Amino acid sequence: MTTSDITLAARGADTILPPGRLEGLLESGRSLRVKLGLDPTAPMVTLGWAVVLRKLRHFQELGHTAVLIVGDFTARVGDPSGKSETRRRLTADEVRSYAKPLLDQFQRALLPEPLEIRWNSEWLEALDMSEILELASTVTVAQMLERSDFANRYSEGTPISIMEFLYPLLQGYDSVAVEADVELGGSDQLWNLMMGRIIQTRYGQEPQVALTMPLLTGTDGRQKMSQSLGNYIGVTEPAAEIFGKTMSIPDHLLGEWFRLAADRPAEEVDQILEGINSGRLHPAKAKRLLGKRIVSLYWGEEKATTAEADFDQRFKHREVPQDAPPFAMPTDDPVYLPGLLRSSQLAPSASQGRRLIDAGAVRIDGEQVQGYEIARARLVRKTLTVGKRRSVFLRN
């Protein structure tokens, strides 16, 4: 093991517990079993999910075995992490409908070997009542209420089902079933990962290292990336879409996205940020580099170059501003465009907005607008421009 091995294994992580244990495992020279469990609860792997998938890949590159657990059973229970109320339970059919297409997407971020793909229904469905009782006896209610989201709900009188208490136990039992040396997760999973250590100890195993990665902020620049919020980029979206959406993110996300979404080393990210802060590198040029880095990860360098050229053809050559400030779209469909021009401050009033439209001064992604009512789908994630100087980027 070299210093660079430790650097790669720890790169980008926000928590590694217990301290020093990961270095000890890496120094042992044996092949480690590195676990990542993902519940198929949505149809697409986003760049947010890919953060932990690429961390799993780092361990593969170091010669360790990636154990990817498809949580087809735990998805039916529902992870309570970060939730203020009980999740709606998914049916087995719903989970299966998500799981199959996700597998190809999971593997897009991973090496084909060394890799094990396991479905946790394999061992969780086989547990009988005595085994479930044995598992439930490993922790106390007091320990469960140490978890902040459970504690908050309990203090507020919000119901917590016993099933929700079972979720971290089942996730911990996954670590027992696959004999995990290391478990990966997002920062909201730390409590679950530490519970896995407790359960492994009770079952006579050496407790795993818990390694968590930060949650990637979505394209809106405010909330974590989520398919339900619409602020996401999927790894299987066309290369041009990935590049174009990346160009629309707020400037303050650049450091975070270079580190997490583009999986770049800290030294490179620091140089980019220093260039931006000193004025030597314009944020729009940094976003171009970021977009190409991300596209290259999932589509290759040739597609990344093509995506940038496509972006230029669609935007730059139409004189569409590439750094227009974001503006939240109204929920109406169709959208009354003069009102949108007023609310986005591109026009002082709706009546002036109508006159600008009639004069041909209003464009969507460089194309002249005709009419006052526009389908919402035609506007979302597009640049709305008045003249050559005033514009906004319309986000969900």
Side-chain angles (χ1 to χ4, degrees), residues 237-267:
E237 290 189 55
E241 284 292 306
I242 295 176
F243 187 90
K245 288 182 178 181
T246 301
M247 289 296 295
S248 75
I249 67 170
D251 293 354
H252 72 266
L253 292 184
L254 281 167
E256 176 186 340
W257 275 51
F258 268 109
R259 282 191 299 271
L260 301 177
D263 194 15
R264 305 310 302 169
E267 298 79 6

Side-chain angles (χ1 to χ4, degrees), residues 334-347:
V335 174
Y336 182 58
L337 190 56
L340 178 59
L341 291 170
R342 181 195 61 224
S343 60
S344 63
Q345 299 185 342
L346 294 180

Side-chain angles (χ1 to χ4, degrees), residues 256-305:
E256 176 186 340
W257 275 51
F258 268 109
R259 282 191 299 271
L260 301 177
D263 194 15
R264 305 310 302 169
E267 298 79 6
E268 179 182 326
V269 178
D270 289 343
Q271 289 177 2
I272 291 168
L273 294 179
E274 193 278 327
I276 293 172
N277 293 332
S278 67
R280 289 185 292 102
L281 178 63
H282 193 281
K285 287 188 177 181
K287 287 180 194 176
R288 283 177 171 272
L289 177 59
L290 175 64
K292 291 183 73 173
R293 294 281 196 231
I294 294 173
V295 173
S296 294
L297 291 178
Y298 304 105
W299 290 99
E301 292 186 8
E302 184 177 346
K303 288 278 191 180
T305 300

Side-chain angles (χ1 to χ4, degrees), residues 127-363:
L127 292 176
D128 61 25
M129 182 54 71
S130 64
E131 290 170 316
I132 292 172
L133 291 174
E134 174 65 24
L135 178 60
S137 71
T138 59
V139 295
T140 67
V141 172
Q143 286 175 304
M144 286 292 183
L145 291 178
E146 290 174 0
R147 178 174 170 156
S148 60
D149 43 16
F150 283 154
N152 292 338
R153 288 166 63 183
Y154 182 75
S155 65
E156 294 167 0
T158 303
I160 306 170
S161 73
I162 297 299
M163 182 183 69
E164 291 178 277
F165 277 176
L166 285 175
Y167 185 92
L169 302 182
L170 297 176
Q171 181 175 330
Y173 192 80
D174 288 349
S175 295
V176 174
V178 301
E179 300 181 346
D181 295 302
V182 180
E183 183 173 10
L184 311 179
S187 58
D188 60 343
Q189 291 290 310
L190 179 59
W191 196 91
N192 286 348
L193 271 55
M194 297 303 287
M195 181 59 64
R197 287 175 51 81
I198 294 172
I199 292 172
Q200 281 182 303
T201 301
R202 299 290 178 90
Y203 280 82
Q205 293 185 6
E206 189 71 24
Q208 65 193 11
V209 169
L211 188 156
T212 63
M213 298 293 293
L215 301 179
L216 183 68
T217 305
T219 54
D220 60 356
R222 295 182 294 107
Q223 302 186 72
K224 76 172 184 177
M225 186 171 286
S226 166
Q227 290 173 69
S228 62
L229 295 175
N231 62 350
Y232 69 94
I233 299 176
V235 300
T236 54
E237 290 189 55
E241 284 292 306
I242 295 176
F243 187 90
K245 288 182 178 181
T246 301
M247 289 296 295
S248 75
I249 67 170
D251 293 354
H252 72 266
L253 292 184
L254 281 167
E256 176 186 340
W257 275 51
F258 268 109
R259 282 191 299 271
L260 301 177
D263 194 15
R264 305 310 302 169
E267 298 79 6
E268 179 182 326
V269 178
D270 289 343
Q271 289 177 2
I272 291 168
L273 294 179
E274 193 278 327
I276 293 172
N277 293 332
S278 67
R280 289 185 292 102
L281 178 63
H282 193 281
K285 287 188 177 181
K287 287 180 194 176
R288 283 177 171 272
L289 177 59
L290 175 64
K292 291 183 73 173
R293 294 281 196 231
I294 294 173
V295 173
S296 294
L297 291 178
Y298 304 105
W299 290 99
E301 292 186 8
E302 184 177 346
K303 288 278 191 180
T305 300
T306 302
E308 182 180 28
D310 177 76
F311 179 85
D312 285 340
Q313 184 176 4
R314 289 188 294 127
F315 295 93
K316 187 176 180 181
H317 301 319
R318 290 181 185 172
E319 297 185 343
V320 176
Q322 299 173 32
D323 55 354
F327 183 79
M329 281 279 292
T331 57
D332 304 340
D333 194 6
V335 174
Y336 182 58
L337 190 56
L340 178 59
L341 291 170
R342 181 195 61 224
S343 60
S344 63
Q345 299 185 342
L346 294 180
S349 65
S351 59
Q352 179 63 20
R354 289 193 296 271
R355 286 191 285 273
L356 289 167
I357 294 169
D358 294 340
V362 179
R363 295 177 179 270

Side-chain angles (χ1 to χ4, degrees), residues 95-130:
V95 172
R96 279 193 294 269
S97 71
Y98 289 143
K100 191 171 181 181
L102 283 176
L103 272 179
D104 289 338
Q105 297 179 57
F106 288 153
Q107 294 178 78
R108 205 177 189 94
L110 300 172
L111 297 173
E113 296 291 341
L115 173 64
E116 289 181 19
I117 297 178
R118 307 285 294 273
W119 300 67
N120 64 10
S121 59
E122 172 190 338
W123 50 84
L124 294 180
E125 282 186 341
L127 292 176
D128 61 25
M129 182 54 71
S130 64

